[in-house]
Amino acid sequence: DIKGHRLVEDSLFNYYRLRWSTEELLEKAKALNAVVVLAHPDAIPPKNSGVFIDGNRALLKMIDVVEGINSTMSEESNKKAIQYAQNWQKPLIASSDAHLSRFIGAGVTAFESSSVEGILEDMRKGRSIAIGKNLRLLYKLKSAMVVVRNNLRW
């Protein structure tokens, strides 16, 4: 339970889902002063958050930053993610989306600030440099298999 909200367990996967709507979850994150990052906006369904936000434009005001570079996404998907960020006038970050430790650092976001508060503010204001490289297909597949393996029920 998260503060009295029961988690729903999927029957095949070990995924747990809150019974909150996306709007409720984003409101709670904002109440905690969290930086809300829209991850992998051009991923395949159901993780294509850009399509979801485009269809739910009222939620866009609660998004602080867009993940523009994700090392596990294709170069084309990253270009589309950067385009989303530009169209929505949102700062962007880069991430490794690493599910294996050897891939950490394939996508990084650099900040001038050294305090947590400063970094969070830099993120919101777009005062950062996002850099990254796409993982080779074999590494993307290995990473994806780790996610599947860790979430399947045996």
Side-chain angles (χ1 to χ4, degrees), residues 115-152:
S115 69
V116 171
E117 297 81 15
I119 289 170
L120 296 177
E121 189 60 22
D122 285 353
M123 226 186 288
R124 288 184 181 102
K125 300 287 186 189
R127 296 186 303 239
S128 62
I129 298 171
I131 56 173
K133 65 178 182 178
N134 294 94
L135 296 177
R136 293 185 307 185
L137 180 60
L138 177 63
Y139 295 148
K140 289 179 186 185
L141 292 172
K142 282 183 180 181
S143 184
M145 291 311 297
V146 168
V147 173
V148 170
R149 183 193 71 219
N150 289 343
N151 289 288
L152 276 177

Side-chain angles (χ1 to χ4, degrees), residues 50-109:
V51 171
F52 177 78
I53 291 298
D54 263 347
N56 297 276
R57 293 299 282 228
L59 298 177
L60 188 56
K61 68 182 180 297
M62 291 190 255
I63 304 297
D64 295 309
V65 180
V66 173
E67 181 187 47
I69 300 171
N70 178 317
S71 65
T72 64
M73 296 286 116
S74 69
E75 186 175 346
E76 185 62 32
S77 287
N78 284 334
K79 286 178 181 178
K80 287 182 182 177
I82 291 167
Q83 189 63 53
Y84 274 123
Q86 290 170 342
N87 291 346
W88 296 331
Q89 299 178 340
K90 299 288 183 181
L92 62 87
I93 62 163
S95 76
S96 300
D97 201 1
H99 295 277
L100 293 168
S101 60
R102 66 194 272 185
F103 305 135
I104 293 173
V108 297
T109 306

Side-chain angles (χ1 to χ4, degrees), residues 29-45:
K30 288 306 210 180
L32 295 170
N33 201 31
V35 173
V36 176
V37 177
L38 187 71
H40 35 69
D42 193 56
I44 59 171

Side-chain angles (χ1 to χ4, degrees), residues 9-27:
E9 189 172 346
D10 191 291
S11 59
L12 175 62
F13 293 95
N14 289 326
Y15 294 125
Y16 294 93
R17 299 184 179 133
L18 289 172
R19 292 183 186 243
W20 295 330
S21 68
T22 302
E23 185 173 11
E24 289 173 304
L25 181 61
L26 292 174
E27 286 171 353

